[in-house]
Coordinates of all heavy atoms in Angstrom, one line a residue:
I65 N 21.1 52.0 32.8 CA 20.1 52.2 31.7 C 20.1 53.6 31.3 O 20.3 53.9 30.1 CB 18.8 51.7 32.1 CG1 18.7 50.2 32.3 CG2 17.7 52.3 31.1 CD1 17.4 49.7 32.9
R66 N 20.2 54.5 32.3 CA 20.3 56.1 32.0 C 21.6 56.3 31.3 O 21.6 57.1 30.4 CB 19.9 56.8 33.4 CG 18.6 56.9 33.7 CD 18.3 57.8 34.9 NE 19.3 57.7 36.1 CZ 19.1 57.0 37.1 NH1 17.9 56.3 37.2 NH2 19.9 56.9 38.1
V67 N 22.7 55.8 31.8 CA 23.9 56.1 31.3 C 24.0 55.6 29.8 O 24.5 56.4 28.8 CB 25.1 55.3 32.1 CG1 26.4 55.2 31.3 CG2 25.2 56.1 33.5
H68 N 23.5 54.5 29.5 CA 23.5 54.0 28.2 C 22.7 54.8 27.3 O 23.0 55.0 26.2 CB 23.0 52.4 28.1 CG 24.0 51.5 28.6 ND1 23.8 50.2 28.8 CD2 25.4 51.6 28.8 CE1 24.8 49.5 29.2 NE2 25.9 50.4 29.3
S69 N 21.6 55.4 27.8 CA 20.7 56.1 26.9 C 21.5 57.5 26.6 O 21.4 57.8 25.4 CB 19.3 56.6 27.7 OG 18.6 57.5 27.2
V70 N 22.1 58.1 27.6 CA 22.9 59.3 27.3 C 24.0 59.0 26.5 O 24.3 59.7 25.5 CB 23.3 59.9 28.7 CG1 24.2 61.1 28.4 CG2 22.1 60.4 29.4
A71 N 24.8 57.9 26.7 CA 25.9 57.5 25.9 C 25.4 57.3 24.4 O 26.2 57.9 23.4 CB 26.6 56.2 26.4
N72 N 24.4 56.7 24.1 CA 23.8 56.5 22.7 C 23.6 57.8 22.1 O 23.9 58.1 21.0 CB 22.6 55.6 22.7 CG 23.0 54.1 22.9 OD1 24.0 53.6 22.7 ND2 21.9 53.3 23.5
K73 N 22.9 58.7 22.9 CA 22.6 60.0 22.2 C 24.0 60.8 22.0 O 24.0 61.4 20.9 CB 21.8 60.9 23.4 CG 21.6 62.2 23.0 CD 21.0 63.0 24.1 CE 20.8 64.5 23.7 NZ 20.4 65.4 24.8
L74 N 25.0 60.8 22.8 CA 26.1 61.6 22.5 C 26.9 60.8 21.4 O 27.6 61.5 20.6 CB 26.9 61.6 23.8 CG 26.4 62.6 24.9 CD1 27.3 62.6 26.0 CD2 26.0 63.8 24.4
N75 N 26.9 59.5 21.4 CA 27.6 58.8 20.3 C 27.1 59.2 19.0 O 27.8 59.3 18.0 CB 27.6 57.3 20.5 CG 28.5 56.8 21.6 OD1 29.6 57.5 21.8 ND2 28.2 55.7 22.1
R76 N 25.7 59.4 18.9 CA 25.2 59.9 17.6 C 25.3 61.3 17.3 O 25.5 61.7 16.1 CB 23.6 59.7 17.7 CG 23.1 58.3 17.5 CD 21.5 58.1 17.5 NE 20.9 58.9 18.3 CZ 20.6 58.5 19.6 NH1 20.8 57.3 20.0 NH2 19.8 59.2 20.4
Q77 N 25.3 62.2 18.3 CA 25.4 63.6 18.1 C 26.8 64.3 18.0 O 26.8 65.4 17.4 CB 24.6 64.3 19.2 CG 23.2 64.1 19.2 CD 22.4 64.8 20.3 OE1 23.1 65.3 21.3 NE2 21.1 65.0 20.2
C78 N 27.7 63.7 18.6 CA 29.0 64.4 18.8 C 30.1 63.8 17.9 O 30.4 62.6 17.9 CB 29.6 64.4 20.1 SG 28.3 65.1 21.4
K79 N 30.7 64.6 17.0 CA 31.7 64.2 16.1 C 32.9 63.7 16.9 O 33.4 64.4 17.9 CB 32.1 65.4 15.2 CG 31.2 65.9 14.3 CD 31.8 67.1 13.5 CE 30.7 67.6 12.6 NZ 31.2 68.8 11.9
A80 N 33.3 62.5 16.5 CA 34.6 61.9 17.0 C 34.4 61.4 18.4 O 35.3 60.4 18.9 CB 35.8 62.9 16.9
L81 N 33.5 61.7 19.2 CA 33.4 61.3 20.6 C 32.8 59.8 20.7 O 31.8 59.5 19.9 CB 32.4 62.2 21.4 CG 32.3 62.0 22.8 CD1 33.6 62.2 23.5 CD2 31.2 62.8 23.4
K82 N 33.3 59.0 21.6 CA 33.0 57.7 21.7 C 32.7 57.6 23.3 O 33.6 57.9 24.1 CB 34.0 56.7 21.3 CG 33.7 55.2 21.4 CD 34.8 54.4 21.1 CE 34.5 53.3 20.1 NZ 35.6 52.5 19.7
V83 N 31.4 57.2 23.7 CA 31.1 57.1 25.1 C 30.9 55.6 25.3 O 30.2 54.9 24.7 CB 29.8 57.8 25.5 CG1 29.6 57.7 26.9 CG2 30.0 59.2 25.1
F84 N 31.6 55.0 26.4 CA 31.3 53.6 26.7 C 31.5 53.4 28.1 O 32.0 54.2 28.9 CB 32.2 52.6 25.9 CG 33.7 52.8 26.1 CD1 34.4 52.0 27.1 CD2 34.4 53.7 25.4 CE1 35.7 52.1 27.2 CE2 35.7 53.8 25.6 CZ 36.4 53.0 26.6
T85 N 31.0 52.2 28.7 CA 30.9 52.0 30.1 C 31.8 50.8 30.3 O 32.1 49.8 29.4 CB 29.6 51.6 30.4 OG1 29.1 50.4 29.8 CG2 28.6 52.8 30.3
T86 N 32.2 50.8 31.6 CA 32.8 49.5 32.2 C 31.9 48.9 33.1 O 30.7 49.4 33.2 CB 34.1 49.7 32.9 OG1 33.8 50.8 34.0 CG2 35.2 50.5 31.9
K87 N 32.1 48.0 34.0 CA 31.2 47.5 35.0 C 30.6 48.5 35.9 O 29.5 48.6 36.3 CB 32.0 46.5 35.9 CG 31.1 45.8 36.8 CD 31.8 44.6 37.6 CE 30.9 44.0 38.6 NZ 31.5 42.9 39.3
S88 N 31.5 49.5 36.2 CA 31.1 50.5 37.2 C 31.4 52.0 36.9 O 31.2 52.9 37.7 CB 31.7 50.3 38.6 OG 33.2 50.3 38.5
N89 N 31.8 52.3 35.6 CA 32.1 53.6 35.3 C 31.8 53.9 33.8 O 31.6 53.0 33.0 CB 33.6 53.9 35.6 CG 33.7 55.2 36.4 OD1 33.3 56.3 35.9 ND2 34.3 55.2 37.5
T90 N 32.0 55.2 33.4 CA 31.8 55.7 32.1 C 33.0 56.4 31.6 O 33.7 57.0 32.3 CB 30.6 56.6 32.0 OG1 29.5 56.1 32.7 CG2 30.3 56.9 30.7
I91 N 33.4 56.1 30.4 CA 34.6 56.6 29.8 C 34.4 57.3 28.5 O 33.4 56.9 27.8 CB 35.6 55.5 29.6 CG1 35.9 54.7 30.9 CG2 36.8 55.8 28.8 CD1 36.6 53.5 30.8
L92 N 35.1 58.4 28.2 CA 35.0 59.0 26.9 C 36.4 58.8 26.2 O 37.4 58.9 26.8 CB 34.8 60.5 27.1 CG 33.6 61.0 27.8 CD1 33.5 62.6 27.9 CD2 32.3 60.5 27.2
T93 N 36.3 58.7 24.8 CA 37.4 58.7 24.0 C 37.2 59.3 22.8 O 36.1 59.6 22.3 CB 37.9 57.2 23.7 OG1 36.9 56.6 22.8 CG2 38.1 56.3 25.0
V94 N 38.3 59.7 22.1 CA 38.3 60.2 20.7 C 39.4 59.3 20.1 O 40.5 59.2 20.6 CB 38.7 61.7 20.6 CG1 39.1 62.0 19.1 CG2 37.6 62.6 21.1
E95 N 39.0 58.8 19.0 CA 39.9 57.7 18.3 C 40.0 58.3 16.8 O 39.0 58.7 16.3 CB 39.4 56.4 18.3 CG 39.2 55.7 19.7 CD 38.5 54.5 19.7 OE1 38.2 53.9 18.7 OE2 38.4 53.9 20.7
M96 N 41.2 58.1 16.3 CA 41.5 58.5 14.9 C 42.8 57.8 14.4 O 43.6 57.5 15.2 CB 41.4 60.1 14.8 CG 42.6 60.7 15.6 SD 42.5 62.5 15.6 CE 43.2 62.8 14.1
F97 N 42.9 57.9 13.0 CA 44.2 57.5 12.5 C 45.0 58.7 12.1 O 44.5 59.8 11.8 CB 43.9 56.7 11.1 CG 43.2 55.5 11.4 CD1 41.8 55.2 11.2 CD2 44.0 54.3 11.9 CE1 41.2 54.1 11.5 CE2 43.3 53.1 12.1 CZ 42.0 53.1 12.0
L98 N 46.3 58.6 12.3 CA 47.2 59.7 12.0 C 48.1 59.4 10.8 O 48.4 58.2 10.6 CB 48.2 59.8 13.4 CG 47.5 60.1 14.6 CD1 48.6 60.2 15.7 CD2 46.8 61.4 14.5
D99 N 48.6 60.3 10.1 CA 49.5 60.1 9.1 C 50.9 60.0 9.7 O 51.1 60.1 10.9 CB 49.4 61.2 8.0 CG 49.8 62.6 8.5 OD1 50.4 62.6 9.6 OD2 49.5 63.5 7.9
K100 N 51.8 59.8 9.0 CA 53.2 59.6 9.5 C 53.8 60.8 10.3 O 54.6 60.5 11.2 CB 54.2 59.1 8.3 CG 53.9 57.8 7.6 CD 54.3 56.6 8.4 CE 54.0 55.4 7.5 NZ 53.8 54.3 8.4
N101 N 53.6 61.9 9.8 CA 54.1 63.2 10.5 C 53.0 64.0 10.9 O 52.9 65.1 10.3 CB 55.1 63.9 9.6 CG 56.2 63.0 9.2 OD1 56.9 62.5 10.1 ND2 56.4 62.6 8.0
P102 N 52.1 63.8 11.8 CA 50.9 64.6 12.2 C 51.5 66.0 12.9 O 52.4 65.9 13.5 CB 50.1 63.7 13.1 CG 51.1 62.8 13.8 CD 52.2 62.5 12.7
D103 N 50.7 67.0 12.5 CA 51.0 68.3 13.2 C 49.8 68.4 14.3 O 48.8 68.7 14.0 CB 50.9 69.4 12.1 CG 51.2 70.8 12.8 OD1 51.4 70.8 14.0 OD2 51.4 71.7 11.9
L104 N 50.3 68.2 15.5 CA 49.4 68.1 16.7 C 48.8 69.5 16.9 O 47.6 69.6 17.3 CB 50.0 67.7 17.9 CG 50.6 66.2 18.0 CD1 51.0 65.8 19.3 CD2 49.6 65.3 17.5
D105 N 49.4 70.6 16.5 CA 48.8 71.9 16.5 C 47.5 71.9 15.7 O 46.7 72.9 16.0 CB 49.8 73.1 16.0 CG 50.8 73.3 17.1 OD1 50.5 73.1 18.3 OD2 51.9 73.7 16.8
D106 N 47.3 71.1 14.8 CA 46.1 71.1 13.9 C 44.9 70.6 14.6 O 43.9 70.9 14.2 CB 46.4 70.3 12.6 CG 47.3 71.0 11.7 OD1 47.7 72.3 11.9 OD2 47.8 70.4 10.6
F107 N 45.1 69.6 15.6 CA 43.9 69.0 16.2 C 43.9 68.6 17.6 O 42.9 68.3 18.1 CB 43.7 67.7 15.4 CG 44.8 66.7 15.3 CD1 45.0 65.8 16.4 CD2 45.7 66.7 14.3 CE1 46.0 64.9 16.5 CE2 46.9 65.8 14.3 CZ 47.0 65.0 15.3
M108 N 45.2 68.7 18.3 CA 45.2 68.2 19.6 C 44.3 68.9 20.8 O 43.4 68.3 21.3 CB 46.6 68.2 20.2 CG 46.7 67.4 21.4 SD 46.4 65.6 21.1 CE 46.6 65.0 22.8
E109 N 44.3 70.2 20.7 CA 43.3 71.0 21.5 C 42.0 70.8 21.1 O 41.1 70.7 22.1 CB 43.7 72.5 21.3 CG 44.9 72.9 22.1 CD 45.1 74.4 22.1 OE1 44.3 75.1 22.9 OE2 46.1 74.9 21.5

Side-chain angles (χ1 to χ4, degrees):
I65 291 167
R66 289 191 303 270
V67 165
H68 284 169
S69 175
V70 172
N72 286 337
K73 176 185 173 190
L74 294 182
N75 284 336
R76 283 189 314 271
Q77 290 181 346
C78 300
K79 291 179 184 175
L81 184 69
K82 184 186 225 181
V83 184
F84 63 95
T85 61
T86 64
K87 183 176 180 179
S88 61
N89 226 304
T90 310
I91 297 169
L92 301 180
T93 65
V94 170
E95 299 175 356
M96 61 187 278
F97 293 102
L98 301 174
D99 62 19
K100 296 279 184 207
N101 298 301
D103 184 350
L104 296 187
D105 286 330
D106 288 345
F107 59 85
M108 196 63 187
E109 283 186 72

